[in-house]
Amino acid sequence: MSAMATRRAWAELLRLPALFTVPGDALAGAAATGLRPNHRTLLAIGSSLCLYEAGMALNDWADRAEDAVERPERPLPSGRIAPPAALTAATALTAAGLALASRAGRPSLAVAGALAGTVWAYDLALKHTPAGPAAMATARGLDLLLGATATAGPDHDPRARATAAAPSAAALAAHTLAVTVVSRREAQGGSSTAPLAALATTAALTRLVGAGTTRRPSVSGDGDVGDGGFGWRRRGRSAPGGSASRGSASRGSAARGSAPRGSAPRGSASGLAPESGQAPRTATPESGPAPRTATPGTAHRALRGALALAYAGTAARPLFHAALNPSPPLTQRAVGGGIRAMIPLQAALAARTGAPVTALLTAALAPAARRFARKVSVT
């Protein structure tokens, strides 16, 4: 087999176009914490890419007998890649992913370890059980939390940041669950139930990420965990150097986090600079800290709405066709659309939590994903 044929076989095994759906997990996780992406975010992205590709290789290794019957053109049953090579690649990529996560700190390594364990459990044991879709959804949610904990690093409370990112992780996991349920019938087809349920999930998530008020999540000094942009709050542990009381600032005390009269705030209550395009919070001794909800401009609202519509359009159309005619080709197309819809969903989640620059950066991955998907299948 020629070198070009070998490269194409590995591209098919690893489903390279699907890689473009991975960086948005870490970026959405960083946005949900209220922190700017940093070098640790890049480590999380690298770790996620390795663990994602490890799962792809391990998936085909575990399903090689089934694929020999249902999808004989796949790289392993067709003989283009030897099964031991696929298993070796999965092992090496897992080790590389964990090594990269460890560079971002112990909390990140813990999340990456849980993610790797979920991926291996899914591919080797859970995929064909009722717990399979939930395991896949858990993996995607953990991938977003990996970005949150890595971005926080040792300077911020990783547990509090992960809690702030939990709503975004849950939204991404819900979409993944719906797509995974549809994928279980992609080789046989024959059921409209899963595509219809996925359509309902898509509609609910579109409304969630496209409507409401943009909120910049934060973690205050008294351990009050921001809502991640989804309208809920939780009382957490006090962080070192926290404020004296919940919801108020000590009169005239600059050392306790309140700004002196007439001074401009340096960022949010947690000392984080807002992302470009966001108005800084203000606080006065008389009124206490300003609300964490900022009124977005027209452009920001338009961005959030456009990303929500892009998500709905990418996922809903092939799902609707699969619901009308649940044949294997249309079901596979619906799964592919659901995978590509991860990108606008991740971007919409970033915009929902008040990070328009991160949202645009994530959305910029979508054209490349579409272009490469025409050459190599994502399913």
Side-chain angles (χ1 to χ4, degrees), residues 137-170:
T138 299
R140 203 81 199 204
L142 285 170
D143 201 31
L144 189 146
L145 294 179
L146 174 58
T149 55
T151 302
D155 300 329
H156 306 282
D157 184 357
R159 182 176 298 179
R161 300 295 171 183
T163 301
S168 291

Side-chain angles (χ1 to χ4, degrees), residues 161 217-222 224 241-243 256-258 265-274 280-283 289-290 292:
R161 300 295 171 183
S218 61
V219 183
S220 64
D222 63 359
D224 188 28
S243 61
R256 299 179 73 87
S258 61
R266 300 180 65 87
S268 69
S270 57
L272 306 175
R281 296 178 62 249
T282 59
R292 299 184 188 279

Side-chain angles (χ1 to χ4, degrees), residues 107-160:
S108 300
L109 178 59
V111 176
L115 173 57
T118 303
V119 168
W120 280 72
Y122 173 83
D123 285 334
L124 298 181
L126 300 177
K127 182 176 181 179
H128 300 293
T129 71
M136 180 62 76
T138 299
R140 203 81 199 204
L142 285 170
D143 201 31
L144 189 146
L145 294 179
L146 174 58
T149 55
T151 302
D155 300 329
H156 306 282
D157 184 357
R159 182 176 298 179

Side-chain angles (χ1 to χ4, degrees), residues 304-335:
R304 199 178 66 217
L307 291 171
L309 289 176
Y311 161 65
T314 305
R317 184 176 179 181
L319 284 171
F320 180 72
H321 291 161
L324 292 177
N325 177 16
S327 62
L330 290 182
T331 302
Q332 291 173 15
R333 191 173 301 172
V335 174

